[in-house]
Amino acid sequence: MGWVLLVAGLVLWCGAHLFKRIAPELRTRAGDPGKGAITVLILLSVVLMWIGYRRAGIVDLWFPPPWTVHINNLLMLVAVFLIDLGFSRGVLRTKLRHPMLTAIKIWAVAHLLVNGDLASVILFGGMLAWAVVTVILINKQDRAWTPPERGPVRNDIIYGSVALVIFAVIIYIHNWLGVWPLPG
């Protein structure tokens, strides 16, 4: 049952997120109630993926070497920094068109480096594929990109400090869930 929930959650996540790109007219006609429905579907997809991932049986495909944990943590720090960079008003936001989707891609690759089981390949590989497809669709539909106004470097430093705190919270949550993400 875990596998079904995992795949169903992933399909629901992709469908809910890609709906705006695949059927923009229908999405526009749905208005605010449509946004609410999409939000509920996305939340449901996260719950399904989480439950499905936890319940899926362990099917090892490969055994990542221990040193990949270091690369994972470095990539995760970058992903945490990028995830909300779009809301930052500093210099770095003007350099990257899709910071959140780039963060998802980095997050997925980082987790694929340290998890060699089938459930991880399905979850993180599926999220990576979704993020790549989404970037392609956005760039195809909205070819021109105007970077936002440049803000002070100080905002990037503040934002980086906040990202470090969020990274520490993520480590704590992983530990609470029974997965210690740091080497040692």
Side-chain angles (χ1 to χ4, degrees):
M1 185 61 165
W3 297 103
V4 172
L5 294 175
L6 175 60
V7 172
L10 189 59
V11 169
L12 188 57
W13 171 275
C14 294
H17 276 91
L18 291 173
F19 179 61
K20 178 180 180 179
R21 299 288 161 202
I22 294 172
E25 301 84 19
L26 186 57
R27 173 63 196 94
T28 301
R29 283 197 312 254
D32 286 338
K35 288 180 184 177
I38 293 294
T39 300
V40 168
L41 290 176
I42 289 170
L43 291 172
L44 177 61
S45 74
V46 170
V47 169
L48 290 173
M49 285 187 287
W50 185 74
I51 292 171
Y53 184 77
R54 300 285 285 182
R55 290 187 181 173
I58 302 294
V59 178
D60 288 319
L61 301 175
W62 72 85
F63 299 94
W67 56 265
T68 59
V69 171
H70 300 290
I71 297 171
N72 172 50
N73 289 330
L74 179 61
L75 290 173
M76 283 307 303
L77 188 56
V78 172
V80 169
F81 180 78
L82 290 177
I83 196 74
D84 281 335
L85 186 62
F87 299 107
S88 171
R89 298 295 172 239
V91 176
L92 294 175
R93 175 58 185 109
T94 65
K95 308 293 182 198
L96 191 60
R97 182 173 182 177
H98 306 290
M100 188 174 287
L101 290 167
T102 303
I104 296 293
K105 291 187 276 187
I106 292 170
W107 167 82
V109 168
H111 281 77
L112 286 169
L113 280 174
V114 294
N115 295 292
D117 62 288
L118 183 58
S120 294
V121 170
I122 291 170
L123 176 61
F124 303 118
M127 293 296 283
L128 176 61
W130 161 76
V132 168
V133 167
T134 301
V135 167
I136 291 168
L137 288 174
I138 291 171
N139 289 345
K140 185 177 177 184
Q141 291 172 350
D142 306 324
R143 293 190 187 275
W145 178 62
T146 304
E149 276 190 47
R150 180 183 165 126
V153 174
R154 171 180 40 104
N155 288 355
D156 289 333
I157 294 169
I158 292 168
Y159 185 74
S161 301
V162 170
L164 284 171
V165 171
I166 293 170
F167 184 68
V169 169
I170 290 170
I171 290 171
Y172 175 81
I173 291 170
H174 273 74
N175 186 45
W176 179 70
L177 291 172
V179 179
W180 181 243
L182 298 177

Coordinates of all heavy atoms in Angstrom, one line a residue, residues 21-80:
R21 N 0.2 25.2 -16.0 CA 1.0 25.3 -17.2 C 0.3 24.5 -18.4 O 0.4 24.9 -19.5 CB 2.4 24.7 -17.0 CG 3.2 25.4 -15.9 CD 3.6 26.8 -16.5 NE 4.0 27.6 -15.4 CZ 4.0 28.9 -15.4 NH1 3.7 29.5 -16.6 NH2 4.3 29.7 -14.4
I22 N -0.3 23.4 -18.1 CA -0.9 22.6 -19.1 C -2.3 23.1 -19.6 O -2.6 23.1 -20.7 CB -1.1 21.1 -18.6 CG1 0.3 20.6 -18.4 CG2 -1.8 20.3 -19.6 CD1 0.4 19.2 -17.7
A23 N -3.1 23.7 -18.6 CA -4.4 24.2 -18.9 C -4.6 25.6 -18.4 O -5.4 25.8 -17.5 CB -5.5 23.2 -18.4
P24 N -3.8 26.6 -18.9 CA -3.9 27.9 -18.3 C -5.3 28.6 -18.4 O -5.7 29.3 -17.4 CB -2.8 28.7 -19.1 CG -2.6 27.9 -20.3 CD -2.9 26.5 -20.0
E25 N -6.0 28.3 -19.4 CA -7.3 29.0 -19.6 C -8.3 28.4 -18.5 O -9.0 29.1 -17.9 CB -7.9 28.7 -21.0 CG -7.0 29.3 -22.1 CD -6.0 28.3 -22.5 OE1 -6.1 27.1 -22.2 OE2 -5.0 28.7 -23.2
L26 N -8.3 27.1 -18.4 CA -9.1 26.4 -17.4 C -8.7 26.9 -16.0 O -9.6 27.2 -15.1 CB -9.0 24.9 -17.5 CG -9.9 24.1 -16.6 CD1 -11.4 24.4 -16.9 CD2 -9.7 22.6 -16.9
R27 N -7.5 27.0 -15.7 CA -7.0 27.5 -14.4 C -7.4 28.9 -14.1 O -7.9 29.2 -13.0 CB -5.4 27.4 -14.3 CG -4.8 28.0 -13.1 CD -5.3 27.2 -11.8 NE -5.0 27.9 -10.7 CZ -5.9 28.8 -10.1 NH1 -7.1 29.0 -10.5 NH2 -5.5 29.4 -9.0
T28 N -7.4 29.8 -15.1 CA -7.8 31.2 -15.0 C -9.3 31.2 -14.7 O -9.8 32.0 -13.9 CB -7.5 32.0 -16.3 OG1 -6.1 31.9 -16.5 CG2 -7.9 33.4 -16.1
R29 N -10.1 30.4 -15.4 CA -11.6 30.4 -15.2 C -11.9 29.9 -13.9 O -13.0 30.3 -13.3 CB -12.2 29.5 -16.3 CG -12.4 30.2 -17.7 CD -13.4 29.5 -18.6 NE -13.2 28.1 -18.6 CZ -12.7 27.4 -19.6 NH1 -12.3 28.0 -20.7 NH2 -12.5 26.1 -19.6
A30 N -11.1 29.1 -13.3 CA -11.4 28.5 -11.9 C -11.3 29.6 -10.9 O -11.9 29.5 -9.8 CB -10.5 27.4 -11.6
G31 N -10.6 30.7 -11.1 CA -10.5 31.8 -10.2 C -9.9 31.4 -8.8 O -9.2 30.4 -8.7
D32 N -10.3 32.2 -7.8 CA -9.8 31.9 -6.4 C -10.3 30.6 -5.9 O -9.5 29.9 -5.2 CB -10.2 33.1 -5.5 CG -9.4 34.3 -5.7 OD1 -8.3 34.2 -6.3 OD2 -9.9 35.4 -5.4
P33 N -11.5 30.1 -6.1 CA -11.9 28.8 -5.6 C -11.0 27.7 -6.2 O -10.6 26.7 -5.5 CB -13.3 28.6 -6.1 CG -13.8 30.0 -6.2 CD -12.7 30.8 -6.7
G34 N -10.5 27.9 -7.4 CA -9.6 26.9 -8.0 C -8.3 26.9 -7.3 O -7.7 25.9 -7.2
K35 N -7.8 28.1 -6.9 CA -6.5 28.2 -6.2 C -6.7 27.4 -4.9 O -5.7 26.7 -4.5 CB -6.1 29.6 -5.9 CG -5.7 30.4 -7.1 CD -5.3 31.8 -6.7 CE -4.9 32.6 -7.9 NZ -4.6 34.0 -7.6
G36 N -7.8 27.5 -4.2 CA -8.0 26.8 -3.0 C -8.0 25.3 -3.2 O -7.4 24.5 -2.4
A37 N -8.7 24.9 -4.2 CA -8.7 23.4 -4.6 C -7.3 22.9 -4.9 O -7.0 21.8 -4.4 CB -9.7 23.2 -5.7
I38 N -6.6 23.7 -5.6 CA -5.2 23.2 -5.9 C -4.3 23.2 -4.7 O -3.6 22.2 -4.5 CB -4.5 24.2 -7.0 CG1 -5.2 24.1 -8.3 CG2 -3.0 24.0 -7.1 CD1 -5.1 22.8 -9.0
T39 N -4.5 24.1 -3.8 CA -3.8 24.1 -2.5 C -4.1 22.8 -1.7 O -3.2 22.2 -1.2 CB -4.1 25.4 -1.7 OG1 -3.7 26.5 -2.4 CG2 -3.4 25.3 -0.3
V40 N -5.4 22.5 -1.6 CA -5.8 21.3 -0.9 C -5.2 20.0 -1.6 O -4.7 19.1 -0.9 CB -7.3 21.2 -0.9 CG1 -7.8 19.8 -0.4 CG2 -7.9 22.3 0.0
L41 N -5.2 20.0 -2.9 CA -4.6 18.8 -3.6 C -3.1 18.7 -3.3 O -2.6 17.6 -3.2 CB -4.9 18.9 -5.1 CG -6.3 18.8 -5.5 CD1 -6.5 19.0 -7.1 CD2 -6.8 17.4 -5.2
I42 N -2.4 19.9 -3.3 CA -1.0 19.9 -3.0 C -0.7 19.4 -1.6 O 0.2 18.6 -1.4 CB -0.4 21.2 -3.3 CG1 -0.4 21.5 -4.8 CG2 1.0 21.3 -2.8 CD1 0.0 22.9 -5.2
L43 N -1.4 19.9 -0.7 CA -1.3 19.4 0.7 C -1.6 17.9 0.8 O -0.8 17.2 1.5 CB -2.2 20.2 1.7 CG -1.8 21.7 1.9 CD1 -2.8 22.4 2.7 CD2 -0.4 21.8 2.5
L44 N -2.6 17.4 0.2 CA -2.9 16.0 0.2 C -1.8 15.2 -0.5 O -1.4 14.1 0.0 CB -4.3 15.8 -0.6 CG -4.7 14.3 -0.7 CD1 -4.9 13.7 0.7 CD2 -5.9 14.2 -1.5
S45 N -1.2 15.7 -1.5 CA -0.1 15.0 -2.2 C 1.1 14.9 -1.3 O 1.7 13.8 -1.3 CB 0.3 15.7 -3.5 OG 1.0 16.9 -3.3
V46 N 1.4 15.9 -0.5 CA 2.5 15.9 0.4 C 2.3 14.8 1.5 O 3.1 14.0 1.8 CB 2.8 17.2 1.1 CG1 3.8 17.1 2.2 CG2 3.3 18.2 0.0
V47 N 1.0 14.7 2.0 CA 0.7 13.7 3.0 C 0.8 12.3 2.4 O 1.4 11.4 3.0 CB -0.7 14.0 3.6 CG1 -1.2 12.8 4.4 CG2 -0.8 15.3 4.4
L48 N 0.3 12.1 1.2 CA 0.3 10.8 0.6 C 1.8 10.4 0.3 O 2.2 9.3 0.5 CB -0.4 10.8 -0.7 CG -2.0 10.9 -0.6 CD1 -2.6 11.1 -2.0 CD2 -2.5 9.7 0.1
M49 N 2.6 11.4 -0.2 CA 4.0 11.0 -0.4 C 4.7 10.7 0.9 O 5.5 9.7 0.9 CB 4.7 12.2 -1.2 CG 4.4 12.3 -2.6 SD 5.4 13.6 -3.5 CE 4.7 15.1 -2.9
W50 N 4.5 11.4 1.9 CA 5.2 11.2 3.2 C 4.8 9.8 3.7 O 5.6 9.0 4.1 CB 4.9 12.3 4.2 CG 5.6 12.1 5.4 CD1 6.9 12.4 5.7 CD2 5.1 11.7 6.7 NE1 7.3 12.1 7.0 CE2 6.2 11.7 7.6 CE3 3.8 11.3 7.1 CZ2 6.0 11.3 8.9 CZ3 3.7 10.9 8.4 CH2 4.8 10.9 9.3
I51 N 3.5 9.5 3.8 CA 3.0 8.2 4.3 C 3.5 7.1 3.4 O 4.0 6.1 3.9 CB 1.5 8.2 4.4 CG1 1.0 9.2 5.5 CG2 1.0 6.8 4.7 CD1 -0.5 9.4 5.6
G52 N 3.4 7.3 2.1 CA 3.8 6.3 1.2 C 5.3 6.0 1.3 O 5.7 4.8 1.3
Y53 N 6.1 7.0 1.4 CA 7.5 6.8 1.5 C 7.9 6.1 2.8 O 8.8 5.2 2.8 CB 8.2 8.2 1.5 CG 9.7 8.1 1.5 CD1 10.4 7.8 0.3 CD2 10.5 8.4 2.6 CE1 11.8 7.7 0.3 CE2 11.8 8.4 2.6 CZ 12.5 8.0 1.5 OH 13.9 8.0 1.5
R54 N 7.2 6.4 3.9 CA 7.5 5.8 5.2 C 7.1 4.3 5.2 O 7.7 3.5 5.8 CB 6.8 6.5 6.3 CG 7.2 8.0 6.5 CD 8.6 8.1 7.1 NE 8.5 7.8 8.5 CZ 9.5 8.0 9.3 NH1 10.6 8.4 8.9 NH2 9.4 7.6 10.6
R55 N 6.0 4.0 4.4 CA 5.5 2.6 4.4 C 6.0 1.7 3.3 O 5.8 0.5 3.4 CB 3.9 2.7 4.3 CG 3.3 3.2 5.5 CD 1.8 3.1 5.4 NE 1.1 3.6 6.6 CZ -0.2 3.8 6.7 NH1 -1.0 3.4 5.7 NH2 -0.7 4.3 7.8
A56 N 6.6 2.4 2.3 CA 7.2 1.5 1.2 C 8.3 0.6 1.8 O 9.1 1.0 2.6 CB 7.7 2.5 0.1
G57 N 8.3 -0.6 1.3 CA 9.3 -1.5 1.7 C 10.7 -1.1 1.2 O 10.8 -0.3 0.2
I58 N 11.7 -1.5 1.9 CA 13.1 -1.2 1.5 C 13.5 -2.1 0.3 O 13.6 -3.4 0.5 CB 14.1 -1.4 2.7 CG1 13.7 -0.5 3.8 CG2 15.5 -1.1 2.2 CD1 13.8 1.0 3.5
V59 N 13.8 -1.5 -0.8 CA 14.3 -2.3 -1.9 C 15.6 -1.5 -2.4 O 15.5 -0.5 -3.0 CB 13.3 -2.3 -3.1 CG1 13.9 -3.0 -4.3 CG2 12.0 -2.9 -2.7
D60 N 16.7 -2.1 -1.9 CA 18.0 -1.4 -2.2 C 18.4 -1.6 -3.7 O 18.3 -2.7 -4.2 CB 19.1 -1.9 -1.3 CG 18.9 -1.4 0.1 OD1 18.6 -0.3 0.3 OD2 19.1 -2.2 1.1
L61 N 18.7 -0.5 -4.3 CA 19.2 -0.5 -5.7 C 20.7 -0.4 -5.7 O 21.4 -0.9 -6.6 CB 18.5 0.6 -6.5 CG 17.0 0.5 -6.6 CD1 16.5 1.7 -7.3 CD2 16.6 -0.8 -7.2
W62 N 21.3 0.4 -4.8 CA 22.7 0.6 -4.7 C 23.0 1.1 -3.3 O 22.1 1.5 -2.5 CB 23.3 1.6 -5.7 CG 22.9 3.1 -5.5 CD1 23.6 4.0 -4.7 CD2 21.8 3.8 -6.1 NE1 22.9 5.2 -4.8 CE2 21.9 5.1 -5.6 CE3 20.8 3.4 -7.0 CZ2 21.0 6.1 -6.0 CZ3 19.9 4.4 -7.4 CH2 20.0 5.7 -6.9
F63 N 24.2 1.1 -2.9 CA 24.7 1.5 -1.5 C 25.6 2.7 -1.6 O 26.8 2.5 -2.0 CB 25.3 0.3 -0.8 CG 24.4 -0.9 -0.7 CD1 24.3 -1.9 -1.6 CD2 23.5 -0.9 0.4 CE1 23.5 -3.0 -1.5 CE2 22.6 -2.0 0.5 CZ 22.6 -3.0 -0.4
P64 N 25.1 3.9 -1.4 CA 25.9 5.1 -1.6 C 27.1 5.0 -0.6 O 26.9 4.6 0.6 CB 25.0 6.2 -1.2 CG 23.6 5.6 -1.4 CD 23.7 4.2 -1.0
P65 N 28.3 5.5 -1.0 CA 29.4 5.5 -0.1 C 29.2 6.6 1.0 O 28.4 7.6 0.8 CB 30.6 5.9 -1.0 CG 30.0 6.4 -2.3 CD 28.6 5.9 -2.4
P66 N 29.8 6.4 2.2 CA 29.5 7.4 3.3 C 29.9 8.8 3.0 O 29.3 9.7 3.5 CB 30.4 6.8 4.4 CG 30.7 5.4 4.0 CD 30.6 5.3 2.5
W67 N 30.9 9.1 2.1 CA 31.3 10.4 1.8 C 30.2 11.3 1.1 O 30.3 12.5 1.1 CB 32.6 10.5 1.1 CG 32.6 9.7 -0.2 CD1 33.0 8.4 -0.4 CD2 32.1 10.1 -1.5 NE1 32.9 8.0 -1.7 CE2 32.3 9.1 -2.4 CE3 31.6 11.3 -2.0 CZ2 32.0 9.2 -3.8 CZ3 31.3 11.4 -3.3 CH2 31.4 10.3 -4.2
T68 N 29.2 10.6 0.5 CA 28.2 11.4 -0.2 C 27.3 12.2 0.8 O 26.7 13.1 0.4 CB 27.3 10.4 -1.0 OG1 26.6 9.5 -0.1 CG2 28.0 9.7 -2.1
V69 N 27.4 11.9 2.1 CA 26.7 12.6 3.1 C 27.2 14.1 3.1 O 26.4 15.0 3.3 CB 26.8 12.0 4.5 CG1 26.2 12.9 5.6 CG2 26.1 10.6 4.5
H70 N 28.5 14.2 3.0 CA 29.1 15.6 3.0 C 28.5 16.4 1.8 O 28.2 17.6 1.9 CB 30.6 15.5 3.0 CG 31.2 14.8 4.1 ND1 31.2 15.3 5.4 CD2 31.8 13.6 4.2 CE1 31.7 14.5 6.2 NE2 32.1 13.4 5.5
I71 N 28.5 15.8 0.6 CA 28.0 16.5 -0.6 C 26.5 16.8 -0.4 O 26.1 17.9 -0.7 CB 28.2 15.6 -1.8 CG1 29.8 15.4 -2.0 CG2 27.6 16.3 -3.0 CD1 30.1 14.4 -3.1
N72 N 25.8 15.8 0.2 CA 24.4 16.0 0.4 C 24.1 17.2 1.3 O 23.3 18.1 1.0 CB 23.8 14.8 1.1 CG 22.3 15.0 1.5 OD1 21.5 15.5 0.8 ND2 22.1 14.7 2.8
N73 N 24.9 17.3 2.4 CA 24.6 18.4 3.3 C 25.0 19.8 2.7 O 24.3 20.8 2.9 CB 25.4 18.2 4.6 CG 24.8 17.1 5.4 OD1 23.6 16.9 5.4 ND2 25.6 16.4 6.1
L74 N 26.1 19.8 1.9 CA 26.4 21.1 1.2 C 25.3 21.5 0.2 O 24.9 22.6 0.2 CB 27.8 20.9 0.5 CG 28.2 22.1 -0.3 CD1 28.4 23.3 0.7 CD2 29.5 21.8 -1.0
L75 N 24.9 20.5 -0.6 CA 23.8 20.8 -1.5 C 22.5 21.2 -0.8 O 21.8 22.1 -1.3 CB 23.5 19.5 -2.4 CG 24.6 19.2 -3.4 CD1 24.3 17.9 -4.1 CD2 24.8 20.3 -4.4
M76 N 22.2 20.6 0.3 CA 21.0 20.9 1.0 C 21.1 22.3 1.6 O 20.1 23.0 1.6 CB 20.8 19.9 2.2 CG 20.2 18.6 1.7 SD 18.7 18.8 0.7 CE 17.6 19.7 1.8
L77 N 22.2 22.7 2.0 CA 22.4 24.1 2.5 C 22.1 25.1 1.3 O 21.4 26.1 1.5 CB 23.8 24.3 3.1 CG 24.1 25.6 3.8 CD1 23.1 25.9 4.9 CD2 25.5 25.7 4.3
V78 N 22.6 24.8 0.2 CA 22.4 25.6 -1.0 C 20.9 25.6 -1.3 O 20.3 26.6 -1.6 CB 23.2 25.2 -2.2 CG1 22.8 25.9 -3.5 CG2 24.7 25.3 -1.9
A79 N 20.2 24.4 -1.3 CA 18.8 24.3 -1.6 C 18.0 25.1 -0.6 O 17.0 25.8 -1.0 CB 18.4 22.8 -1.6
V80 N 18.3 25.0 0.7 CA 17.6 25.8 1.7 C 17.7 27.3 1.4 O 16.7 28.0 1.5 CB 18.0 25.4 3.1 CG1 17.5 26.4 4.1 CG2 17.6 24.0 3.5

